[in-house]
Amino acid sequence: MEPQGDIAVIGLAVMGQNLILNMNDHGFTVVAYNRTVSKVDDFLNNEAKGTRILGAHSLQEMVALLKKPRRVMLMVKAGKAVDEFIEQLLTVLEPGDIIIDGGNSLFEDTIRRVKYVESKGLLYIGTGVSGGEEGARHGPSIMPGGSPAAWPHVKPIFQAIAAKVADGTPCCDWVGEGGAGHYVKMTHNGIEYGDMQLICEAYHIMKDGLGMSADEMHEVFKAWNEAELQSYLIEITRDILAKRDEDGAPLVDKILDTAGQKGTGKWTVISSQEMGIPITLIAEAVYSRCVSAMKDLRVQAAKVFPPGNCKIPGDRKRWIDDIRKALYASKIISYAQGYMLMRAAAQQYAWNLNYGGIALMWRGGCIIRSAFLGDIKKAFDKNPDLPNLLFDPFFKKAIKSCTRSWRKVVSTAVKKGIPVPAFSTALAFFDGFRSERLPANLLQAQRDYFGAHTYERVDKPRGEFFHTNWTGTGGRVASSTYTV
Ligand code: 6PG
């Protein structure tokens, strides 16, 4: 009998299982395999019962069940496990077959793996899959990149199972070569960190500054979810605030305030340092998780520096509106920074990224899905070469309408000792970005003073470098001029 399997999925943790069930719902025959083989039968006898999903108990059996070119998707932990499976798969697959990594892999690993797998005559895709368990089951956002020749073979499956926007367009399209798919997913996750931190700061001000209860904040997030901030993360925050523990108290108040992280936010910041792009909001979001994780030290520090009165006087309704505007403006900054990062990476790695297309992929299915991404899509549709989101008329107007509230919220939080690192770094970036002249002239003078690092002059063409013998005792020789 001819093999029936359209695709194999390796890894039967929740994301793998749900993707398989989603593919099955869309008429594909999926072969399921797991390193701990007992999980395969367990899956077939439970979640996959009554479906056309096939089980394999070895890689050889899995390969024999697949149509050619074989498509094998890894849904295993990022890192070593991916490399180990690639090695094993190379012994059982044939040239032309396709290996797909659907985990949160580091894009540099994906660049290396694409080259390696292609050198063996096979094709490789590294794809971001966002949306958590629910997304995987009912429609994730999928961001594939790697060997372009693999895309036509994978496209029908991925686009069928992906989330769809209102007009039916799937939240999945080809991102680019090499590690482009995983880079875009990494940036998505960095932005996810930023969005979550912004929401947490709004919550913190409302809770400690305005003294609001979980129920009251639930109402605020409910209202915010019906306007320009409408998004999955605002929606789940609304629901989290309404959730009660067994004793009837809000569950959120019982949760220890130490955040975890699996690394994609950190990678975004590391990459931004490599690219020289200020991803200040995401960086603060990552560091805020680090500060939160220092629970014991914080408890000690709170005794040494006890907080003062952080209650914010004034009309609560007005404050809530100001906080909404501060959040919205900061969010615009975060996305503007994220898009600057992707633009720099595209240049560095020679990826032809479609920025409107990325906004569309993020419009549905993924964790940062929001109405806002529809506005970003429109901005890039109008001007695909938009150098910065802040120059788009819609966002320019939006930022201008929020600035007064944004400054009011940041300055009040600072006065009251409520930490708002993401709100304030967004504002500081905005003020720096819109400054025609920054104090870097003095900085250049300092560099030249102590290290003869040279400077450019306002009254001379760019690219001409000067050195001054500041003390009269220095030499005439400058050090070489370069910027990393
Ligand atoms: C998604 C998420 C997901 C991410 C988790 C955990 O797009 O579905 O971004 O990929 O891994 O949310 O991230 P942290 O543990 O780092 O918060």
Side-chain angles (χ1 to χ4, degrees), residues 104 129-132 185 188-189 192-193 260-264 289 367:
N104 267 333
V129 178
S130 179
K185 174 60 167 54
H188 162 282
N189 280 30
E192 171 187 307
Y193 275 53
Q261 50 181 319
K262 294 208 174 100
T264 45
R289 290 194 190 196
I367 303 294

Side-chain angles (χ1 to χ4, degrees), residues 354-357 374-386:
N354 172 351
Y355 302 103
D375 298 323
I376 296 183
K377 166 95 172 71
K378 278 187 217 147
F380 283 107
D381 281 350
K382 260 187 283 160
N383 179 6
D385 297 321
L386 190 67

Side-chain angles (χ1 to χ4, degrees), residues 290-309:
C290 301
V291 174
S292 82
M294 300 171 169
K295 178 76 183 178
D296 293 345
L297 272 178
R298 286 195 288 116
V299 170
Q300 279 182 42
K303 291 195 180 93
V304 182
F305 307 104
N309 172 17

Side-chain angles (χ1 to χ4, degrees), residues 141-164:
S141 161
I142 310 180
M143 300 152 238
S147 315
W151 177 229
H153 300 289
V154 173
K155 187 177 171 178
I157 303 179
F158 278 12
Q159 292 199 335
I161 65 164
K164 311 284 181 304

